Amino acid sequence: MMVLLLPINYCISRGFSRIQKKIMATTDKRIHTTNEVFQNIRIIKFFAWEERFAQVVSESRTAELRALRDRYILWAVAGLSPYSIHLFDRSTNSRL
């Protein structure tokens, strides 16, 4: 049964790595955008561009939240994988 878990664990770990890189990239983009807004707050206020820049920051945050959601879904799958093997094991034992 442990041999069956090796490819599953490999796929899960690759998924964690891919998602973590995605989270870091989206977080960096959001922080960069937020810092840009803070540095230029006087100009943004003067020209009344608050809504436009709020939307840009919000879009960055939405992308970051999507990546975080994907990570939590993968955590749930990783947490359930050992239990799914036990279910498979019981189904094969009942056939004997």
mmCIF file of all heavy atoms in Angstrom, residues 11 19 23 28 30 43 46-47 58 62 68 84 91:
data_model
loop_
_atom_site.group_PDB
_atom_site.id
_atom_site.type_symbol
_atom_site.label_atom_id
_atom_site.label_comp_id
_atom_site.label_asym_id
_atom_site.label_seq_id
_atom_site.Cartn_x
_atom_site.Cartn_y
_atom_site.Cartn_z
ATOM 1 N N CYS A 11 3.126 13.833 -6.601
ATOM 2 C CA CYS A 11 2.248 14.803 -7.266
ATOM 3 C C CYS A 11 1.824 15.911 -6.309
ATOM 4 O O CYS A 11 1.777 17.085 -6.691
ATOM 5 C CB CYS A 11 1.018 14.103 -7.837
ATOM 6 S SG CYS A 11 1.375 13.024 -9.219
ATOM 7 N N ILE A 19 2.221 25.823 -6.473
ATOM 8 C CA ILE A 19 1.295 26.776 -5.869
ATOM 9 C C ILE A 19 2.044 27.793 -5.013
ATOM 10 O O ILE A 19 1.698 28.978 -5.009
ATOM 11 C CB ILE A 19 0.215 26.030 -5.064
ATOM 12 C CG1 ILE A 19 -0.730 25.302 -6.022
ATOM 13 C CG2 ILE A 19 -0.568 26.981 -4.182
ATOM 14 C CD1 ILE A 19 -1.726 24.394 -5.351
ATOM 15 N N ILE A 23 1.844 31.760 -5.335
ATOM 16 C CA ILE A 23 1.465 32.631 -4.220
ATOM 17 C C ILE A 23 2.506 33.726 -4.028
ATOM 18 O O ILE A 23 2.160 34.907 -3.845
ATOM 19 C CB ILE A 23 1.280 31.812 -2.925
ATOM 20 C CG1 ILE A 23 0.024 30.957 -3.003
ATOM 21 C CG2 ILE A 23 1.208 32.723 -1.700
ATOM 22 C CD1 ILE A 23 -0.107 29.955 -1.879
ATOM 23 N N ASP A 28 4.015 39.307 -4.259
ATOM 24 C CA ASP A 28 4.979 40.335 -4.649
ATOM 25 C C ASP A 28 4.326 41.395 -5.530
ATOM 26 O O ASP A 28 4.575 42.595 -5.367
ATOM 27 C CB ASP A 28 6.172 39.721 -5.370
ATOM 28 C CG ASP A 28 7.096 38.961 -4.448
ATOM 29 O OD1 ASP A 28 6.986 39.154 -3.209
ATOM 30 O OD2 ASP A 28 7.918 38.178 -4.955
ATOM 31 N N ARG A 30 1.134 42.233 -5.587
ATOM 32 C CA ARG A 30 0.218 43.036 -4.772
ATOM 33 C C ARG A 30 0.986 44.024 -3.903
ATOM 34 O O ARG A 30 0.607 45.197 -3.809
ATOM 35 C CB ARG A 30 -0.649 42.142 -3.892
ATOM 36 C CG ARG A 30 -1.637 42.933 -3.024
ATOM 37 C CD ARG A 30 -2.385 42.042 -2.075
ATOM 38 N NE ARG A 30 -1.540 41.234 -1.224
ATOM 39 C CZ ARG A 30 -0.993 41.659 -0.077
ATOM 40 N NH1 ARG A 30 -1.196 42.873 0.347
ATOM 41 N NH2 ARG A 30 -0.233 40.848 0.632
ATOM 42 N N ILE A 43 -0.751 62.391 -5.650
ATOM 43 C CA ILE A 43 -1.155 62.522 -7.054
ATOM 44 C C ILE A 43 -2.483 61.813 -7.277
ATOM 45 O O ILE A 43 -3.379 62.330 -7.963
ATOM 46 C CB ILE A 43 -0.062 61.965 -7.984
ATOM 47 C CG1 ILE A 43 1.209 62.802 -7.851
ATOM 48 C CG2 ILE A 43 -0.527 61.918 -9.424
ATOM 49 C CD1 ILE A 43 2.421 62.189 -8.495
ATOM 50 N N PHE A 46 -5.177 63.909 -5.776
ATOM 51 C CA PHE A 46 -5.361 65.164 -6.509
ATOM 52 C C PHE A 46 -6.198 64.961 -7.768
ATOM 53 O O PHE A 46 -7.071 65.766 -8.099
ATOM 54 C CB PHE A 46 -3.995 65.771 -6.861
ATOM 55 C CG PHE A 46 -4.077 67.087 -7.576
ATOM 56 C CD1 PHE A 46 -4.410 68.243 -6.878
ATOM 57 C CD2 PHE A 46 -3.838 67.175 -8.937
ATOM 58 C CE1 PHE A 46 -4.492 69.459 -7.528
ATOM 59 C CE2 PHE A 46 -3.918 68.387 -9.601
ATOM 60 C CZ PHE A 46 -4.246 69.539 -8.896
ATOM 61 N N PHE A 47 -5.933 63.867 -8.496
ATOM 62 C CA PHE A 47 -6.657 63.598 -9.733
ATOM 63 C C PHE A 47 -7.880 62.694 -9.527
ATOM 64 O O PHE A 47 -8.520 62.305 -10.502
ATOM 65 C CB PHE A 47 -5.730 62.974 -10.775
ATOM 66 C CG PHE A 47 -4.720 63.932 -11.325
ATOM 67 C CD1 PHE A 47 -3.396 63.843 -10.953
ATOM 68 C CD2 PHE A 47 -5.099 64.927 -12.211
ATOM 69 C CE1 PHE A 47 -2.451 64.726 -11.454
ATOM 70 C CE2 PHE A 47 -4.169 65.819 -12.718
ATOM 71 C CZ PHE A 47 -2.838 65.721 -12.339
ATOM 72 N N SER A 58 -7.191 45.582 -5.700
ATOM 73 C CA SER A 58 -8.177 44.530 -5.454
ATOM 74 C C SER A 58 -7.990 43.346 -6.399
ATOM 75 O O SER A 58 -8.132 42.189 -5.984
ATOM 76 C CB SER A 58 -9.581 45.106 -5.584
ATOM 77 O OG SER A 58 -10.544 44.112 -5.380
ATOM 78 N N THR A 62 -7.264 39.582 -5.284
ATOM 79 C CA THR A 62 -8.128 38.477 -5.711
ATOM 80 C C THR A 62 -7.298 37.331 -6.294
ATOM 81 O O THR A 62 -7.558 36.165 -6.004
ATOM 82 C CB THR A 62 -9.152 38.974 -6.750
ATOM 83 O OG1 THR A 62 -9.920 40.026 -6.166
ATOM 84 C CG2 THR A 62 -10.074 37.867 -7.195
ATOM 85 N N LEU A 68 -4.127 31.131 -2.770
ATOM 86 C CA LEU A 68 -4.223 30.600 -1.410
ATOM 87 C C LEU A 68 -5.311 29.536 -1.306
ATOM 88 O O LEU A 68 -5.140 28.521 -0.632
ATOM 89 C CB LEU A 68 -4.501 31.740 -0.426
ATOM 90 C CG LEU A 68 -3.321 32.659 -0.129
ATOM 91 C CD1 LEU A 68 -3.794 33.881 0.645
ATOM 92 C CD2 LEU A 68 -2.248 31.925 0.636
ATOM 93 N N SER A 84 -7.743 7.535 2.113
ATOM 94 C CA SER A 84 -8.286 6.934 0.900
ATOM 95 C C SER A 84 -7.601 5.602 0.595
ATOM 96 O O SER A 84 -8.226 4.694 0.061
ATOM 97 C CB SER A 84 -8.161 7.901 -0.279
ATOM 98 O OG SER A 84 -6.807 8.170 -0.545
ATOM 99 N N SER A 91 -11.596 -2.361 0.567
ATOM 100 C CA SER A 91 -12.407 -2.868 -0.537
ATOM 101 C C SER A 91 -11.764 -4.080 -1.182
ATOM 102 O O SER A 91 -12.437 -4.992 -1.642
ATOM 103 C CB SER A 91 -12.669 -1.766 -1.562
ATOM 104 O OG SER A 91 -11.469 -1.400 -2.198
#
